[in-house]
Amino acid sequence: MKVRFNRWYNAVLTALLTMLGYGCSSTEENMDMYGTIVEYGCPYADYVVKGSVTDEVGNPIQGIKITAPNGSDLDSQFNQIVQTDAKGNFTLKEFSSMRGHDMIVEDIDGEANGGEFLSDTILVETLPMTQTEKGKGWYGGKFDVKADIKLKKK
């Protein structure tokens, strides 16, 4: 008796939850009732981080390694690794989210670039950003992020 009751109870509960799922989907009726279409998804945007690395006096530092993960794991296969050019400039592309990303800034060539510098970690979402292209719907558009980094000598 108890087993039969549990089977019926589960069948009725499954049917009700299935109907509830269909009732929450976007339709023309939902648009009229609420004024907008109900959508499922996740907002996103494209970010490009541009910046420079200088010493405490303001001299550009060449050959500084900058590592920025695109995933939540620093050892991810999707890390972006760039080095600063002769003017100390760098560009990181293809960020789809700014939350929780740290840039690791490291001096990897020692004395070759004018001295040994301490490493630094920068939380990318705290950097100033400018919208360069408007988005539509879930897409927030394109943003330029400015990262001017000063490293201290060891």
Side-chain angles (χ1 to χ4, degrees):
M1 180 74 174
K2 189 174 184 179
V3 173
R4 187 178 294 169
F5 173 77
N6 282 340
R7 284 185 186 165
W8 276 102
Y9 178 76
N10 287 338
V12 170
L13 187 60
T14 301
L16 288 174
L17 290 175
T18 302
M19 286 188 267
L20 177 65
Y22 286 119
C24 293
S25 298
S26 297
T27 63
E28 292 297 320
E29 290 175 5
N30 288 347
M31 191 170 97
D32 293 337
M33 185 185 310
Y34 300 113
T36 59
I37 294 178
V38 179
E39 295 183 26
Y40 300 100
C42 182
Y44 69 99
D46 293 321
Y47 300 92
V48 176
V49 179
K50 297 178 182 179
S52 63
V53 179
T54 59
D55 62 13
E56 294 174 299
V57 182
N59 299 322
I61 308 171
Q62 180 179 0
I64 298 294
K65 176 182 168 185
I66 300 166
T67 306
N70 256 346
S72 60
D73 182 11
L74 185 59
D75 295 327
S76 171
Q77 64 179 341
F78 302 110
N79 285 352
Q80 293 187 62
I81 300 172
V82 296
Q83 287 189 348
T84 56
D85 62 14
K87 296 181 182 178
N89 296 325
F90 68 92
T91 302
L92 293 164
K93 298 179 181 180
E94 299 179 10
F95 277 96
S96 59
S97 170
M98 297 299 285
R99 293 189 178 252
H101 291 288
D102 287 347
M103 284 192 320
I104 311 297
V105 183
E106 302 173 278
D107 182 2
I108 57 172
D109 61 3
E111 292 288 331
N113 57 15
E116 290 189 60
F117 295 91
L118 294 171
S119 296
D120 198 3
T121 301
I122 297 158
L123 185 60
V124 179
E125 66 188 69
T126 63
L127 297 171
M129 64 181 79
T130 307
Q131 189 168 16
T132 57
E133 185 179 307
K134 291 204 176 241
K136 183 177 179 182
W138 285 112
Y139 179 61
K142 291 186 180 180
F143 293 85
D144 280 343
V145 181
K146 187 72 172 155
D148 290 325
I149 303 163
K150 290 189 183 280
L151 292 181
K152 296 178 182 178
K153 287 195 175 188
K154 284 188 178 178

